[in-house]
Amino acid sequence: MAKRILVTGGTGYIGSHTVVELQQAGYEVVIVDNLSNSTAGVLEGITRITGKRPVFDKLDCTDHGAMKALFKKYAFDGIIHFAASKAVGESVQKPLLYYRNNLVSLINLLELMPEHDVKYIVFSSSCTVYGEPDKNPIDENAPIKPASSPYGNTKQINEEIIQDFVHSGAPVKSIILRYFNPIGAHPSAEIGELPLGVPQNLVPYITQTGAGIRQQLSVFGNDYNTPDGSCIRDFINVVDLAKAHVVAIERMLENKSDEKVEIFNLGTGTGLSVLELIGIFEKVSGKPLNYKIVERREGDIEQIWAQPDKANNVLGWKAQETIEDTMASAWKWQQHLLEKEIRSNIR
């Protein structure tokens, strides 16, 4: 009988790509999402790719009663927890929203897991826990720095909550995955990053500017201590990232480690600047991008990229996709969205 995995935030960007990989690996998936930053239409894309529609419940993970009813309805073999508010800039403006959404949702899950004999949880964390690093690339032993945003702080606190809970003797194991910067889309162009309203992340803003939806892209600062003055990040293909979650849940289900909590960095190991990424987009799309340099943005880190050796060697996972193919997939997804819009207008 197929193992059943609960994926919170499963209609979101990384969540939907992970659902695809789980279903293609033979897992049954139950998605819960409150659709605050996604749409139920994502389920159609998942179904077209995999040939199977995942179970979907529109729920808010901060609603303890609703989550309790969900755990009574289904028996889960494991959980992958994505559901969270995730924009650095917005978190500075709305800190309480971020603390409520991101902390209460995890606490509810951890409370319910032992009651319903669910032993395994993969937690979606972030390289923001490292703050402004002393040196790059960063491995898992790098110091955790004071967070530069409420969003980053919620990731730090959630990691501490998991570790404290597990070390209290709770019958739970966890793998914490610290992502660097996920970009791109599924090669089918059936799913991709679909922010509601003005994008908070760089690549959808790039592709929307390339498509003429946005007039201009703002590059936040060109006076950083980097080769071209713009921030440097480790941009990782979202499908590569999704595959790591399948490997992580399998590792726990197959009891491959005695450790109660394991932490892995997920990145390519290569740093790329914002201006370099714009240049790659222009190359793969054939479109010049209208952008301007503006003031630095509060909460942004100057430069950070991963040392992914632990994930490579222990998990047996490695980022495979090139940055050119990744940006091409993001552009293909943007064009697919435009075509859908045109078709719907014709109808």
Side-chain angles (χ1 to χ4, degrees):
M1 190 174 167
K3 302 281 188 185
R4 184 183 289 126
I5 308 299
L6 170 63
V7 180
T8 70
T11 59
Y13 176 41
I14 306 168
S16 60
H17 286 81
T18 301
V19 170
V20 165
E21 297 302 320
L22 284 166
Q23 291 199 162
Q24 290 181 330
Y27 290 93
E28 280 189 27
V29 175
V30 174
I31 295 173
V32 298
D33 203 303
N34 67 0
L35 302 181
S36 61
N37 196 35
S38 60
T39 71
V42 172
L43 299 168
E44 307 305 326
I46 293 170
T47 307
R48 282 192 292 270
I49 295 167
T50 65
K52 183 176 181 182
R53 188 180 179 88
V55 176
F56 171 68
D57 278 68
K58 185 183 175 186
L59 293 178
D60 192 317
C61 292
T62 63
D63 183 338
H64 190 276
M67 292 304 289
K68 192 177 181 71
L70 182 86
F71 274 74
K72 284 181 177 173
K73 188 175 175 183
Y74 302 103
F76 298 118
D77 295 286
I79 298 170
I80 303 178
H81 181 44
F82 293 107
S85 301
K86 63 171 187 174
V88 168
E90 184 187 51
S91 78
V92 175
Q93 303 301 320
K94 301 176 181 177
L96 295 186
L97 171 75
Y98 274 67
Y99 286 114
R100 178 184 297 279
N101 283 355
N102 296 6
L103 301 187
V104 175
S105 59
L106 176 68
I107 290 167
N108 283 345
L109 288 171
L110 294 178
E111 283 179 345
L112 289 163
M113 285 174 70
E115 290 177 26
H116 297 272
D117 197 30
V118 184
K119 297 183 173 68
Y120 310 114
I121 184 166
V122 176
F123 177 66
S124 164
S125 191
S126 166
C127 66
T128 57
V129 302
Y130 298 118
E132 188 74 63
D134 299 326
K135 60 175 184 169
N136 283 294
I138 288 185
D139 67 19
E140 291 80 0
N141 297 316
I144 303 298
K145 297 283 191 71
S148 58
S149 68
Y151 164 74
N153 201 29
T154 66
K155 292 300 184 185
Q156 289 186 12
I157 294 167
N158 274 341
E159 286 196 11
E160 291 169 359
I161 288 170
I162 288 169
Q163 296 193 63
D164 288 345
F165 185 60
V166 170
H167 293 147
S168 74
V172 168
K173 276 187 173 184
S174 181
I175 289 181
I176 293 169
L177 299 177
R178 291 175 179 161
Y179 315 154
F180 282 67
N181 286 69
I183 62 170
H186 195 271
S188 67
E190 292 288 357
I191 57 172
E193 191 166 8
L194 185 61
L196 302 184
V198 179
Q200 300 280 348
N201 291 344
L202 175 62
V203 169
Y205 215 113
I206 287 176
T207 59
Q208 288 187 15
T209 305
I213 297 166
R214 306 285 161 198
Q215 277 195 321
Q216 194 172 55
L217 171 74
S218 295
V219 174
F220 296 103
N222 68 342
D223 57 349
Y224 286 100
N225 185 27
T226 62
D228 63 18
S230 65
C231 291
I232 290 176
R233 295 290 182 269
D234 187 336
F235 296 103
I236 177 171
N237 186 286
V238 68
V239 177
D240 279 338
L241 190 67
K243 288 175 178 174
H245 295 78
V246 181
V247 174
I249 204 79
E250 281 174 354
R251 181 173 174 79
M252 290 189 290
L253 289 170
E254 294 170 12
N255 212 20
K256 290 181 179 175
S257 173
D258 293 331
E259 290 187 51
K260 293 291 186 74
V261 179
E262 292 185 288
I263 297 172
F264 297 95
N265 284 344
L266 297 182
T268 66
T270 301
L272 204 68
S273 77
V274 171
L275 290 174
E276 284 176 311
L277 195 70
I278 288 170
I280 290 166
F281 170 77
E282 291 179 326
K283 178 181 156 191
V284 301
S285 69
K287 287 189 169 288
L289 199 71
N290 183 27
Y291 68 90
K292 68 172 181 177
I293 309 297
V294 298
E295 288 184 2
R296 293 183 182 192
R297 181 173 59 179
E298 187 180 359
D300 275 348
I301 288 161
E302 180 174 278
Q303 49 188 312
I304 186 166
W305 65 93
Q307 168 55 271
D309 283 4
K310 185 180 177 187
N312 298 169
N313 298 329
V314 178
L315 279 183
W317 167 90
K318 187 168 185 168
Q320 304 286 344
E321 299 298 325
T322 67
I323 189 65
E324 289 80 10
D325 285 347
T326 300
M327 287 305 286
S329 73
W331 181 233
K332 184 180 176 185
W333 164 243
Q334 184 65 63
Q335 291 172 304
H336 173 73
L337 290 176
L338 285 174
E339 285 166 14
K340 265 178 37 178
E341 196 175 283
I342 291 163
R343 284 199 301 270
S344 65
N345 288 343
I346 290 168
R347 288 194 197 111

